Amino acid sequence: MDLGLKEEPNDRRRKRNIQIAFSVFIGVLVLFTLFSNTLQSLTLPKVKTEKLVIGSLVHTLEGSGVLRPLAEVKLSNPAGWKIKKILVKEGEIVKKGQKLIIYDSQTAESELQDEVASLEKQKINLLGMQDRFVLSTAEGDESKIRSASRDIATLKLDLGMQERKINERRERLVIQKELSAPFDGRITKLNAVEGLASMGEPDVLISNDSRGYRFEFLADSLMLSNFGISIAAKIKVETNARLDQPSKIIEGTIAELVDAEPRLESLSNQEAKKTVAIAQKLVRVTVVSSELEGGEQAFVKLTNRSQQEGRRVSNVAIHQDREGKYIYKIDEQRGALGNVFVARKASIQVIETNEIESMIQVDNVNEDDLIILESSEPLQDSNRIRLQ
């Protein structure tokens, strides 16, 4: 009896130990399975997602440039004289005929005086020749008379040339000793420096404010067409001279639409990368306002909302292959060891697009489905993935 009683607890201990060992084994097995699944999931492509949005597309046309005068004249002294005095400042409004710069004309004035003195000497010589002519006439010497007559005629020609030369120098001196405004305008730039001659650049740039200003920017041809932009069309222009000043809204006019070099855009998808050429135009806009000075920054921003509404998705989510355009949605599959996420290919048709997103038509995609925007690795249909 005692022996049987001793063996019974030993059997129970062995069974309990076996149960514990089995439980530990199962636990370790489950742990390794979970750990293995975790390691495997870390090797899956990581994706960034978004949901479809219902609504209309907003198209935006933007452009900017610096306002430049439509009528601007460069003024310089062709004689290259040193600048004696500057009478204006940059940005100053001037009237037609107003003096801008006075030049050092002392050398030219001295040369003019020398030419006048030379003329007076020639006049004195003419008097001497006329006296000889009278004397030869009184003597009746035909040879001397003809010689004196020829000398007088020659000297008179020289006198005429000298007088014309003096008049030309005098007129040039009057014009070149001062620089005056050719019209009512504004001094847009002043390169002149007192005491120095012109350095190759115009001494003064003067603009005609009444003619207005112009700026230009590049835009996609299709975008311009969608907005109905054409020559002579009116648009709102925002101008800003300095950061500390409030901006002004003025009316501008489309003056020119000029064909420009196409813009190259890279399109990438899961299969390949390619570059397409986008037609562009150079848009020139003119504005007229008494408040402008030139040099201000000008901005154009037009928005246009599409008439129809639909499902919108970011452009980066759209791919293309030989069969057409498509997106990847996420299919969530539940399992005993956790949910599994799979990428599913869904064909689409693009109805309308802008630079950020597109309105699409797609089947088998609900509003609550997650759409893959980016992936750490190239994807194919039915690939397992992990969410970012």
Side-chain angles (χ1 to χ4, degrees):
M1 291 293 292
D2 293 338
L3 183 59
L5 291 174
K6 290 180 179 180
E7 290 178 354
E8 187 175 349
N10 291 333
D11 291 338
R12 286 200 297 269
R13 279 197 300 270
R14 282 196 301 271
K15 290 179 180 180
R16 187 166 58 253
N17 291 336
I18 293 173
Q19 290 176 350
I20 293 172
F22 181 75
S23 298
V24 171
F25 174 75
I26 294 299
V28 172
L29 183 62
V30 171
L31 181 63
F32 273 105
T33 301
L34 293 175
F35 183 70
S36 175
N37 287 338
T38 302
L39 288 178
Q40 184 181 10
S41 66
L42 292 177
T43 64
L44 297 176
K46 182 170 64 173
V47 299
K48 181 179 178 181
T49 63
E50 71 172 10
K51 290 185 178 181
L52 292 175
V53 178
I54 304 298
S56 57
L57 283 179
V58 176
H59 297 280
T60 304
L61 174 62
E62 293 183 287
S64 64
V66 178
L67 289 175
R68 302 296 183 193
L70 272 174
E72 187 175 57
V73 176
K74 301 176 181 179
L75 302 178
S76 294
N77 188 340
W81 296 342
K82 289 183 179 181
I83 295 163
K84 186 175 182 180
K85 191 173 184 180
I86 299 174
L87 305 176
V88 292
K89 298 178 180 178
E90 283 191 8
E92 184 176 340
I93 297 176
V94 296
K95 297 294 184 180
K96 182 178 180 180
Q98 180 177 338
K99 294 180 181 179
L100 308 178
I101 295 177
I102 297 176
Y103 294 93
D104 185 356
S105 58
Q106 183 176 357
T107 301
E109 290 175 353
S110 298
E111 291 175 351
L112 177 61
Q113 291 175 358
D114 292 342
E115 295 296 341
V116 172
S118 178
L119 177 63
E120 293 301 323
K121 288 174 62 177
Q122 290 177 337
K123 288 182 178 179
I124 294 173
N125 291 335
L126 178 61
L127 293 175
M129 290 182 181
Q130 290 173 340
D131 290 342
R132 288 196 299 272
F133 178 79
V134 172
L135 181 61
S136 298
T137 302
E139 293 177 351
D141 189 337
E142 293 295 331
S143 176
K144 290 183 178 180
I145 293 174
R146 287 194 298 272
S147 177
S149 178
R150 287 193 296 269
D151 291 341
I152 291 173
T154 301
L155 187 54
K156 284 183 177 180
L157 291 175
D158 291 339
L159 284 171
M161 293 174 56
Q162 185 67 14
E163 287 177 348
R164 289 192 296 272
K165 184 177 181 181
I166 290 173
N167 291 334
E168 183 182 348
R169 281 182 175 269
R170 185 175 286 119
E171 291 176 0
R172 192 186 312 146
L173 178 61
V174 171
I175 295 173
Q176 295 180 347
K177 71 178 181 180
E178 297 174 351
L179 201 60
S180 301
F183 48 73
D184 294 349
R186 186 188 303 272
I187 304 300
T188 55
K189 193 169 184 180
L190 195 61
N191 296 316
V193 179
E194 288 187 1
L196 298 179
S198 300
M199 305 298 291
E201 296 183 346
D203 293 337
V204 178
L205 272 71
I206 180 172
S207 64
N208 189 342
D209 290 351
S210 63
R211 296 283 301 275
Y213 298 85
R214 180 180 72 180
F215 72 100
E216 57 188 33
F217 62 91
L218 289 171
D220 293 351
S221 299
L222 181 59
M223 181 72 72
L224 294 172
S225 178
N226 291 338
F227 275 85
I229 299 298
S230 59
I231 295 177
K234 304 294 184 181
I235 59 174
K236 297 296 181 182
V237 178
E238 179 181 353
T239 63
N240 194 348
R242 294 193 301 267
L243 295 178
D244 58 347
Q245 290 185 345
S247 59
K248 303 172 186 177
I249 303 297
I250 56 180
E251 186 179 75
T253 303
I254 304 297
E256 290 182 274
L257 294 173
V258 182
D259 291 335
E261 289 292 328
R263 174 174 60 86
L264 300 180
E265 182 174 297
S266 296
L267 301 179
S268 61
N269 50 51
Q270 299 295 331
E271 286 73 29
K273 293 183 179 180
K274 63 178 182 179
T275 301
V276 296
I278 308 297
Q280 286 193 304
K281 286 186 179 294
L282 183 66
V283 184
R284 292 195 173 105
V285 183
T286 59
V287 292
V288 179
S289 174
S290 59
E291 299 179 351
L292 297 175
E293 298 181 1
E296 296 96 335
Q297 285 287 335
F299 306 90
V300 171
K301 184 175 182 180
L302 305 177
T303 57
N304 185 17
R305 188 173 292 275
S306 61
Q307 297 181 355
Q308 58 182 336
E309 293 189 351
R311 296 179 176 183
R312 301 184 347 239
V313 67
S314 298
N315 289 337
V316 294
I318 299 176
H319 311 284
Q320 186 171 2
D321 57 16
R322 294 180 179 179
E323 297 178 357
K325 295 184 177 181
Y326 62 92
I327 59 175
Y328 283 113
K329 72 171 186 175
I330 293 180
D331 186 9
E332 184 176 358
Q333 300 176 355
R334 301 186 181 276
L337 297 179
N339 296 344
V340 175
F341 300 99
V342 177
R344 296 295 185 190
K345 184 178 178 180
S347 299
I348 63 169
Q349 289 184 354
V350 176
I351 302 172
E352 194 173 348
T353 187
N354 62 22
E355 64 276 7
I356 299 175
E357 57 183 359
S358 296
M359 186 183 299
I360 63 172
Q361 181 177 344
V362 57
D363 298 327
N364 303 323
V365 177
N366 300 318
E367 296 178 13
D368 294 331
D369 288 338
L370 293 176
I371 308 301
I372 296 176
L373 292 177
E374 300 174 0
S375 173
S376 61
E377 298 178 19
L379 294 178
Q380 292 183 352
D381 191 25
S382 302
N383 280 164
R384 287 183 59 191
I385 56 174
R386 60 189 174 105
L387 302 181
Q388 183 172 331

